[in-house]
Amino acid sequence: MSDLMTRIQFFAVVFLKMFFVFTTTTVVGQHKHAAEKKPNIIFILTDDQRFDALGYAGNPLAYTPEMDKIAKEGVYFKNAISTTPICAASRASIFSGLYERTHRYSFTSSEIKQEYMQEAFPKVLKEAGYYTALFGKFGVKYKHLDELYNEYDDYDRKASFHDRRGYYYKTIGKDTVHLTRYTGQQALDFIDKAPKNRPFCLQLSFSAPHAHDSAKDQYFWDKEQDFVLANTTVPDAKFSDKTYFDKLPQIVKDGYNRLRWTWRYDTPEKYQHSVKGYFRMIAGVDMEITKIRKELEKKGLADNTIIIVMGDNGYFLGERQLAGKWLMYDNSIRVPLMIYDPRIKEHKDVEEMALNIDVPATILDMAGVKQPASWDGKSLVPLINSSCSNLKRDAILIEHLWEFKNIPPSEGVRTNEWKYFRYVNDKSIEELYHLQNDPNELTNLAKDKKYQKVLKQLRAQCDALIAKNNDPYSGLASGLTVTFGENTKDKTANANLVQFSWTVPKQIAKQQAYQILVSSSLDKLNQNIGDVWNSEEVRKIQATNIAYNGSSLESGKTYYWKVRLWDEVNRTGDYSVSKSFQIKK
């Protein structure tokens, strides 16, 4: 009997040990599995929502309770910046992780270069096992969305309609609904059917609050948002007196920023309608975000779903008597950005500059996926989880390079303290602002003798950032030569006898256009001022024997010239090195 009891006790001890080991291993395994579980990510991008079009930013005109909640529960970036303030180039930067200076994509490009989409963030995520989806405005011409997304529906405002139908052409069931409502419903349907065996990254790209430019009324919203600012008289825009407009460079005064001001804000009635419409459309997006977050709770996904909300570029609401974006002022480049990670309980407001090109790096970091080495952005995760207090980035490149006659392209740098920028087609027009003392950028210090050292430092910093981020697929024209006709001694007849030629670089598969500048001095040429002849953009593939077509050239005088080219996808390249020529006496 004692032997039997001994055996029973022995097997009982063995059983208990095995049970303990099994239980412990199972629990550890469960914890390990939980730790390895990838978060879902929802990236919400609005169109033309400026940095302060948010209740959390202290704007009493904004009705954004859900965005405010995300900012309060998560991390709010007070100085978020779109490095290129136009939707096409900004979105190309977000997808590719690159400055516009590198990808050079904008509206007139026939498509974004395939090389830059090989490491597009949704493609990298998809290859890492994420289920990726996009609903709304992709905003970049690209033929292979199936490489980026498991499912997608790419659409925007319908330009063929010049009235409210631009925003009202999609249907849910038999009802024609506002585009914002349609995108929101697609999000709800996606969350309802999202695969349970893999994490997802859902991009929601709302067209709102972008004005429908071709329509007289400009702004269209759902009647559900009629209550927003219903009994409010919107105050005049800050710095909207004509004196602020008069201080602007003439090339800005003559451009689309002013034209669109006449569409939206040049009468009290237009101003009230447009500003209220703008904020009502933002409220519509906010209401869809509320529904999305409720659906996440319903499906048990809220605790493991990161939400990112950002605007694609800033916006003028009548300041300086301007509309639109495109320029380098903070109204134009600053955007809202808030990131809510339910796994991190600490809320904070971050002063550090955060860029649109930082968002893809942040998404990959949160997903535990390595960032491509080619990207220009930095992950914001160290700021979110408090592992560091700054990104050790002393200056950022800001630029708008689209060559369009009515919007002057510009380039510059922004630091925490200073901003410098200049206009690409006349670099002698420079602006310098001390942001700490002049956050509204009202006093241009570029010609103030006391700040010439700062001006030179920032100018050099701008040049260095441009050189660092230059596009490897866009070479310069070389082999510049000038030939002369037989009658060059006749200074009144020699103009059409001077001819220019160059060699198209191997990086360009086909030259689509060219622009020649001829200047009276090397200094003017370096500032891109073709005071003798500016051919402007010529849509020809010709690269030899281009006839001079400017004013009469003087015998014995030295002239300076250079050329830039448009490539096979119609991207504008940089100017070549300069060359000189002289008309013989």
Side-chain angles (χ1 to χ4, degrees):
M1 191 70 178
S2 60
D3 289 342
L4 179 61
M5 289 297 297
T6 301
R7 290 175 186 172
I8 291 173
Q9 289 174 350
F10 171 80
F11 285 117
V13 170
V14 171
F15 174 80
L16 287 172
K17 285 183 178 179
M18 290 177 64
F19 178 79
F20 176 79
V21 170
F22 173 80
T23 305
T24 304
T25 303
T26 302
V27 171
V28 169
Q30 288 174 345
H31 282 301
K32 184 179 180 183
H33 176 72
E36 292 177 347
K37 189 176 182 182
K38 302 277 190 178
N40 302 310
I41 301 168
I42 299 179
F43 175 29
I44 298 169
L45 189 65
T46 56
D47 198 333
D48 283 356
Q49 184 178 1
R50 58 190 249 164
F51 73 101
D52 65 347
L54 191 71
Y56 189 79
N59 194 330
L61 302 179
Y63 180 82
T64 54
E66 200 63 41
M67 294 185 199
D68 299 345
K69 186 178 178 183
I70 291 170
K72 291 174 185 175
E73 293 176 346
V75 177
Y76 173 68
F77 293 87
K78 297 174 70 174
N79 290 293
I81 290 169
S82 173
T83 54
T84 302
I86 188 170
C87 57
S90 177
R91 288 160 193 265
S93 289
I94 291 168
F95 291 123
S96 68
L98 302 169
Y99 279 114
E100 183 192 11
R101 184 66 53 166
T102 305
H103 64 70
R104 291 184 181 270
Y105 176 85
S106 199
F107 277 112
T108 47
S109 305
S110 59
E111 61 181 340
I112 190 168
K113 281 189 77 69
Q114 177 75 16
E115 290 87 345
Y116 291 131
M117 296 304 281
Q118 290 308 299
E119 294 181 325
F121 89 84
K123 185 174 188 288
V124 175
L125 274 182
K126 184 181 177 185
E127 291 172 349
Y130 265 75
Y131 190 85
T132 58
L134 166 87
F135 301 115
K137 178 180 177 178
F138 186 71
V140 175
K141 297 170 191 170
Y142 186 61
K143 299 174 184 175
H144 307 289
L145 290 183
D146 56 323
E147 295 180 356
L148 278 59
Y149 301 107
N150 296 96
E151 59 179 284
Y152 60 90
D153 189 4
D154 175 20
Y155 53 85
D156 190 14
R157 297 167 293 113
K158 203 158 190 174
S160 58
F161 293 129
H162 304 311
D163 51 31
R164 72 188 298 274
R165 291 174 296 170
Y167 262 105
Y168 282 90
Y169 68 93
K170 290 285 192 178
T171 58
I172 297 176
K174 295 182 179 180
D175 297 329
T176 301
V177 298
H178 193 281
L179 216 54
T180 297
R181 176 77 276 276
Y182 184 77
T183 304
Q185 186 60 50
Q186 286 186 299
L188 299 178
D189 294 342
F190 174 85
I191 293 168
D192 182 49
K193 299 174 183 177
K196 296 179 174 57
N197 61 342
R198 57 198 291 200
F200 66 77
C201 180
L202 170 62
Q203 287 178 249
L204 298 175
S205 189
F206 289 94
S207 295
H210 199 297
H212 193 50
D213 301 320
S214 61
K216 180 181 178 182
D217 288 339
Q218 296 288 293
Y219 293 93
F220 300 98
W221 59 90
D222 194 291
K223 62 181 180 180
E224 190 179 359
Q225 289 95 49
D226 281 347
F227 73 94
V228 176
L229 303 174
N231 299 310
T232 301
T233 299
V234 178
D236 291 343
K238 292 180 179 179
F239 319 115
S240 59
D241 186 86
K242 192 172 183 296
T243 55
Y244 297 101
F245 174 78
D246 291 338
K247 293 179 181 179
L248 294 167
Q250 193 62 44
I251 52 176
V252 175
K253 294 180 190 178
D254 294 339
Y256 264 24
N257 289 96
R258 179 62 167 182
L259 174 63
R260 294 196 177 186
W261 177 82
T262 66
W263 295 356
R264 299 169 191 163
Y265 310 128
D266 68 343
T267 69
E269 293 77 18
K270 285 183 189 176
Y271 177 76
Q272 292 296 318
H273 168 81
S274 294
V275 176
K276 288 182 180 182
Y278 177 80
F279 283 104
R280 286 169 181 169
M281 292 176 79
I282 292 171
V285 175
D286 193 84
M287 291 177 178
E288 295 305 318
I289 297 174
T290 300
K291 297 172 189 175
I292 290 165
R293 297 194 77 186
K294 287 181 179 178
E295 186 68 15
L296 290 172
E297 291 284 355
K298 177 182 173 182
K299 292 293 181 179
L301 299 171
D303 291 340
N304 195 44
T305 300
I306 296 165
I307 299 176
I308 302 171
V309 181
M310 186 176 74
D312 64 348
N313 50 250
Y315 204 63
F316 287 97
L317 287 170
E319 296 85 2
R320 304 175 197 258
Q321 295 196 356
L322 299 177
K325 50 267 187 177
W326 313 307
L327 306 176
M328 295 297 107
Y329 302 109
D330 269 10
N331 299 78
S332 183
I333 67 172
R334 286 181 60 196
V335 295
L337 173 61
M338 56 220 83
I339 300 177
Y340 169 67
D341 186 340
R343 303 167 304 172
I344 299 174
K345 304 305 180 184
E346 180 187 5
H347 159 75
K348 66 177 76 172
D349 291 346
V350 174
E351 297 281 351
E352 183 85 358
M353 286 188 292
L355 314 183
N356 55 346
I357 56 175
D358 293 336
V359 171
T362 304
I363 289 174
L364 259 59
D365 196 356
M366 288 173 155
V369 178
K370 187 178 180 180
Q371 173 182 330
S374 64
W375 284 9
D376 297 325
K378 297 184 177 185
S379 172
L380 302 174
V381 168
L383 298 177
I384 295 169
N385 64 18
S386 301
S387 61
C388 80
S389 59
N390 66 76
L391 298 177
K392 297 181 180 179
R393 180 164 51 195
D394 60 343
I396 63 167
L397 183 62
I398 51 175
E399 54 190 347
H400 176 252
L401 303 179
W402 182 29
E403 276 296 332
F404 180 62
K405 186 176 181 180
N406 299 303
I407 302 172
S410 51
E411 59 193 11
V413 292
R414 189 187 193 277
T415 71
N416 290 322
E417 185 177 2
W418 292 94
K419 182 190 286 182
Y420 161 81
F421 60 92
R422 63 199 179 202
Y423 293 87
V424 173
N425 294 327
D426 186 347
K427 292 185 178 181
S428 69
I429 306 173
E430 298 178 298
E431 301 189 42
L432 176 69
Y433 298 100
H434 192 188
L435 297 177
Q436 287 188 347
N437 297 336
D438 182 21
N440 295 306
E441 303 166 307
L442 299 178
T443 304
N444 182 9
L445 303 172
K447 293 183 180 180
D448 191 319
K449 292 182 179 180
K450 292 186 295 184
Y451 298 99
Q452 291 308 296
K453 184 178 179 181
V454 175
L455 179 71
K456 291 177 181 178
Q457 287 175 341
L458 292 175
R459 189 189 290 149
Q461 207 162 13
C462 180
D463 292 338
L465 283 172
I466 287 171
K468 178 184 176 183
N469 294 287
N470 207 11
D471 172 29
Y473 300 104
S474 178
L476 304 180
S478 61
L480 276 65
T481 59
V482 176
T483 56
F484 304 93
E486 295 180 0
N487 298 323
T488 53
K489 291 182 180 180
D490 181 358
K491 67 179 181 180
T492 62
N494 64 37
N496 61 357
L497 298 176
V498 176
Q499 296 183 332
F500 303 95
S501 301
W502 56 85
T503 301
V504 177
K506 63 182 180 180
Q507 294 94 330
I508 295 179
K510 182 181 179 181
Q511 172 189 306
Q512 298 281 5
Y514 65 81
Q515 181 178 11
I516 298 171
L517 297 182
V518 180
S519 304
S520 59
S521 69
L522 185 58
D523 182 56
K524 285 189 179 296
L525 190 68
N526 289 338
Q527 293 176 335
N528 295 342
I529 302 172
D531 61 321
V532 177
W533 183 43
N534 181 347
S535 73
E536 299 188 341
E537 182 183 339
V538 179
R539 305 300 301 172
K540 289 184 179 180
I541 63 172
Q542 184 180 356
T544 58
N545 302 324
I546 309 296
Y548 173 80
N549 194 27
S551 56
S552 294
L553 301 172
E554 297 180 25
S555 297
K557 183 174 176 60
T558 300
Y559 297 94
Y560 302 86
W561 77 286
K562 60 185 177 181
V563 62
R564 64 176 172 179
L565 311 177
W566 279 253
D567 70 5
E568 69 279 1
V569 291
N570 208 38
R571 301 182 309 150
T572 313
D574 288 329
Y575 282 106
S576 66
V577 296
S578 60
K579 291 289 185 177
S580 64
F581 67 94
Q582 188 179 64
I583 304 299
K584 295 180 181 179
K585 293 182 180 180

